[in-house]
Amino acid sequence: MATEIKEEPTRRDFLYVTTGAFAAVGGAAAVWPLIDQMNPDASVKALASIEADISAIEVGQSVTFKWRGKPVFVRHRTASEIEEANAVPLEDLRDPATDAERVLAGHEEWLVMVGLCTHLGCVPLGQKPGEEKGEYNGWFCPCHGSHYDSAGRIRKGPAPKNLVLPPFEFLSDTLIKIG
Amino acid sequence: MAGNSSYNPTNKVEKWFDERLPLLRFSKEHLMDFPSPKNINYWWTFGAVLAVMLVVQIITGIILAMHYTPNIALAFDSVEHIRRNVNYGRIIQGTHAVGASMFFFAVYIHMFRGLYYGSYKAPREILWILGVVIFLLMMATAFMGYVLPWGQMSFWGATVITNLFTAIPVVGEPILSLLIGGFVVDNPTLNRFFSLHYLLPFIIAAVVALHIWALHVPGNGNPTGVEVKSSADTLPFHPYFTMKDLFVVVVFFIPFAWFVFFAPDILGHADNYIEANPFVTPAHIVPEWYLLPFYAMLRAIDFDVFFISAKLGGVIIMFGSIIILMVIPWLDGSKVRSGSFRPMFKPFYWLFVVNFMMLMYLGAQPAEGIYVILSKVGTAYYFGYFLLVLPILARIETPKPLPSSISQAVLDKNK
C-alpha cells in the first residue's frame, strides 16, 4: 500500500476519462434548454415594436404608450423645459448626458423614454397633470424617492441611471415608431 | 444519538421487518426515546411549532392550488372565488395567508432563541447553517406566494424584488429577463412563480430533514449551554417533550385562529385588493411585515461607496444581512454558549432584538427624514453586533461560572 508505483496511463484510463468528459458535455448540453425556456419566448419578443400617433399631444402634455409591456413616456416639452434642461451643468449630473443626447435632432420638443425608474422598476409620477413632478420639474418615483429632471435625467435619490431611451424614429411629423 | 439503540423487536414479524428496513427502530430511537436535556425551556418548543406550520402551509396550499388559476387574467378573481364560493374557502385561504405570518413569527422566536443561547456554536454549526438555508427558502417561498393573488402589491413587490438583480454588473439584465421571462413582470412570471411556490415547500421539507438529522447527531442544546454528561441529564423525547410541544402548538393556534376567523387581512396590505396594473405604482410599496427589517436595510444605503453604486450597495447589504448569519459560529468565539452566563453579552443582545424591531418599524415608513437616519443607525448596529460586538466580547468578557452539569443546574435552581 505504501509503495508508490508510478504507472503509465493505460488505454482503459483514457477510455474512462473520455467517457466521463462526453457525459459531462452531453449533460450540460441537455440542461441548457431546461434553463433557456425561462427566457422571453417568441410571443413576448414579437411585440418588439409599436407605432404611436402623437398628433393629438399638445405642448406641455404627456401620453403613456405600452411597448414590450413597459410604459413609454412621450412628452411634448415646452420651450422653458428644454431651456431648463440645457442650463444644467454636466458635472451636476450622476449620469451625465446633454439634453441634445436625450432627444432626436430637429425634434427637441419630443422626449420619448421608458417610464420605469432605473432603481427598481416602479413607474415614476409626473405624466398626468397634478401629479408630483419631483424637485427638478420632471418625474418623481414614489417607491424610493428618485427625482428626474425635464430631460428624464436622474438628479436625486437612489436610481443610478437616467430614464432609459428606447430606440425610436419619426415616420412622419405625427407618427413615431418605438422599438 | 447513535449507538444506544433502545429498540427491541418483540415479535417475529417486527424482527423480520427490522432486518429488512429498520423503520420502526429509527422511529423509536429518533421520534420517541431520543434523549433530550431535561432543562430545556419553552423557547425550545418552537421547532415543533415550525414543523406543524410547514405541514399546515403545505396542506392548505395544495387545496388552494385545486381552485386557483395562475393566469394574469384570472388569478385575482380566482382568489376571490376561493374566498367567496369554494366551500370553507374563506377559512382555508385565510389559514394559508395568515399561516405565512405565523410561520415567520415562530421562525423569528426560534432564531432569536438560537442567538441568545449560542445554539450555533460547535458542534452545531452545520445545524445552524441549514437553519439559515431554510430561512432563505422560506423568504423566497413567501415572496412568490404573495405574488400569486396578482394584486397591486403582488405585482409591484415582484417588480421591485426581481429588479434587485439588475444591480449586479454586466449579467444583471440577462438574469432579470431569465427570471421573469419577459421585459416586465407578466404572465410568464406569474406562471413560473406558481410552479416554484409549489415546489419550494418540499425543498424546505427536505432541508428540515437534514436540519433534524444534524440536530440528532449532537442532540439538543439547553439553557445552561453545558453539554449532556449522563442519562441523569435527559428525558426521553416522548412523552415528555412531545406533550410539551403539543401544548405550545395548541396555545399558538389560539391567536392563529383569531386572525383567520376575525381579521384575515389585517396583516396584509389594502392595495393588494386592487388588481395588478403595470402602469400605476402604489404610493408606498411595502413588503409583508416579516420582510420589513431587511427592506429597511436595503433602503438605508442611499449613497455610493467608491465604485459601488447606492443600488448595488443596498442589495449587497440586504443579502449580506442574511448571509452573515451563516458565519456567526466563527465570529462569536466565546467558549460559553448560553447568554445567561455572559453578563456583558446580555445588554448587547437585547439591544440587537430592539434594533431588529426598530428596523421592522422603519421598513414600513416612507424613506425620508429621520426614518432614513434611523435606518442607517439600525443597519450599522445590525452588522456591528456580528462583526464587532461578538468577536470583541469573546476576548474581553469574563463569564459567570457554569454549573457542573445539567442535573446540578436543575438541583441548584430548586434549592
Side-chain angles (χ1 to χ4, degrees):
Chain A
M1 295 280 270
T3 53
E4 267 186 51
I5 304 164
K6 283 196 177 164
E7 282 182 60
E8 284 290 304
T10 62
R11 281 160 184 267
R12 191 158 293 275
D13 290 335
F14 176 77
L15 283 174
Y16 284 143
V17 171
T18 46
T19 307
F22 268 84
V25 171
V31 165
W32 176 242
L34 303 180
I35 296 169
D36 190 44
Q37 53 80 23
M38 289 179 72
N39 273 316
D41 63 34
S43 72
V44 172
K45 285 184 193 158
L47 303 168
S49 76
I50 59 159
E51 286 179 11
D53 181 0
I54 56 172
S55 59
I57 308 174
E58 301 288 340
V59 175
Q61 269 192 340
S62 301
V63 169
T64 306
F65 293 95
K66 189 175 183 176
W67 171 67
R68 291 178 157 188
K70 298 176 179 180
V72 170
F73 291 173
V74 177
R75 177 155 183 85
H76 196 166
R77 298 192 296 172
T78 62
S80 72
E81 285 173 356
I82 300 171
E83 210 175 297
E84 199 181 323
N86 274 318
V88 181
L90 278 189
E91 53 268 28
D92 285 5
L93 298 171
R94 182 179 296 168
D95 182 13
T98 63
D99 188 61
E101 288 166 353
R102 305 277 300 159
V103 291
L104 294 183
H107 299 280
E108 284 81 7
E109 69 276 27
W110 292 104
L111 184 60
V112 180
M113 309 179 296
V114 174
L116 294 175
C117 181
T118 57
H119 181 224
L120 295 172
C122 297
V123 180
L125 300 173
Q127 281 294 88
K128 291 184 191 141
E131 278 184 352
E132 160 132 38
K133 293 168 83 73
E135 291 173 21
Y136 296 89
N137 192 32
W139 288 265
F140 171 71
C141 181
C143 288
H144 306 94
S146 291
H147 299 253
Y148 296 91
D149 67 12
S150 58
R153 296 174 297 197
I154 180 65
R155 300 299 292 275
K156 188 182 173 189
K161 297 278 180 195
N162 301 332
L163 289 177
V164 172
L165 305 175
F168 83 104
E169 59 182 317
F170 279 84
L171 299 176
S172 72
D173 279 350
T174 58
L175 193 66
I176 59 170
K177 184 180 171 211
I178 303 170
Chain B
M1 285 179 219
N4 54 349
S5 185
S6 54
Y7 179 69
N8 291 307
T10 48
N11 58 51
K12 279 188 175 171
V13 178
E14 270 187 47
K15 195 166 185 303
W16 181 88
F17 188 72
D18 186 56
E19 282 162 359
R20 284 152 182 83
L21 178 67
L23 188 66
L24 293 172
R25 176 182 298 277
F26 179 85
S27 307
K28 182 103 176 14
E29 286 170 14
H30 286 278
L31 303 178
M32 296 180 71
D33 295 345
F34 189 71
S36 310
K38 61 185 178 186
N39 61 335
I40 52 180
N41 59 29
Y42 276 108
W43 300 115
W44 261 262
T45 58
F46 280 82
V49 171
L50 286 162
V52 170
M53 283 314 301
L54 180 61
V55 173
V56 167
Q57 291 302 81
I58 288 177
I59 292 174
T60 52
I62 288 172
I63 293 168
L64 291 177
M66 296 177 187
H67 303 277
Y68 168 81
T69 315
N71 178 292
I72 57 167
L74 304 165
F76 186 83
D77 289 342
S78 75
V79 174
E80 285 312 297
H81 159 74
I82 291 169
R83 291 180 63 131
R84 291 154 197 259
N85 302 335
V86 174
N87 300 335
Y88 295 98
R90 180 178 80 86
I91 301 297
I92 297 165
Q93 195 273 343
T95 303
H96 195 72
V98 174
S101 282
M102 299 303 286
F103 205 155
F104 274 93
F105 175 73
V107 88
Y108 281 132
I109 291 189
H110 194 63
M111 291 166 75
F112 278 115
R113 191 285 319 271
L115 288 173
Y116 182 80
Y117 290 110
S119 304
Y120 46 82
K121 292 184 186 179
R124 297 186 181 81
E125 301 95 323
I126 298 291
L127 170 60
W128 172 261
I129 290 168
L130 287 169
V132 180
V133 171
I134 294 169
F135 182 55
L136 275 169
L137 289 168
M138 278 176 64
M139 290 201 288
T141 310
F143 159 66
M144 288 194 265
Y146 194 58
V147 174
L148 302 183
W150 207 242
Q152 273 289 64
M153 281 293 167
S154 301
F155 181 89
W156 290 103
T159 298
V160 166
I161 299 299
T162 53
N163 264 285
L164 292 177
F165 289 91
T166 60
I168 305 168
V170 189
V171 292
E173 293 285 344
I175 288 178
L176 175 67
S177 62
L178 181 77
L179 277 177
I180 65 178
F183 305 111
V184 288
V185 171
D186 208 334
N187 200 51
T189 321
L190 179 62
N191 253 304
R192 68 191 54 185
F193 277 17
F194 176 62
S195 172
L196 295 173
H197 183 71
Y198 206 120
L199 165 73
L200 283 186
F202 296 99
I203 308 257
I204 292 177
V207 183
V208 167
L210 293 178
H211 190 63
I212 296 173
W213 186 1
L215 169 71
H216 278 217
V217 174
N220 288 82
N222 68 85
T224 66
V226 177
E227 288 290 327
V228 169
K229 291 188 172 135
S230 70
S231 58
D233 291 342
T234 63
L235 290 169
F237 182 62
H238 177 78
Y240 295 95
F241 296 103
T242 46
M243 291 304 123
K244 184 176 177 177
D245 289 347
L246 201 55
F247 169 67
V248 174
V249 168
V250 170
V251 173
F252 187 80
F253 275 3
I254 294 171
F256 188 3
W258 182 83
F259 278 119
V260 172
F261 296 154
F262 301 111
D265 294 319
I266 203 170
L267 297 165
H269 201 291
D271 270 331
N272 224 27
Y273 276 95
I274 303 167
E275 193 167 1
N277 180 350
F279 279 57
V280 178
T281 305
H284 291 290
I285 296 193
V286 183
E288 295 286 82
W289 68 268
Y290 41 80
L291 301 176
L292 286 172
F294 306 101
Y295 191 63
M297 287 191 261
L298 166 77
R299 296 195 307 183
I301 310 303
D302 57 0
F303 48 87
D304 298 351
V305 183
F306 305 119
F307 59 92
I308 299 171
S309 67
K311 180 173 164 181
L312 180 59
V315 173
I316 291 172
I317 286 294
M318 189 181 72
F319 284 107
S321 66
I322 294 158
I323 300 304
I324 197 170
L325 296 173
M326 294 199 180
V327 294
I328 311 178
W330 295 276
L331 291 171
D332 180 2
S334 174
K335 293 277 176 266
V336 175
R337 284 200 192 89
S338 171
S340 303
F341 299 94
R342 302 183 60 191
M344 290 174 77
F345 165 87
K346 269 190 206 172
F348 286 106
Y349 171 83
W350 289 111
L351 185 60
F352 180 78
V353 175
V354 171
N355 182 63
F356 190 77
M357 293 192 184
M358 179 184 81
L359 285 169
M360 193 176 279
Y361 167 78
L362 292 170
Q365 303 309 314
E368 58 195 31
I370 184 76
Y371 300 127
V372 177
I373 299 164
L374 286 174
S375 297
K376 286 176 185 168
V377 173
T379 305
Y381 185 70
Y382 182 95
F383 282 90
Y385 177 78
F386 295 124
L387 295 173
L388 294 173
V389 173
L390 291 182
I392 292 171
L393 283 188
R395 287 167 187 270
I396 63 171
E397 186 181 47
T398 312
K400 290 196 238 167
L402 294 174
S404 58
S405 72
I406 292 170
S407 313
Q408 195 56 48
V410 173
L411 291 172
D412 289 348
K413 209 176 168 183
N414 293 339
K415 259 181 200 163

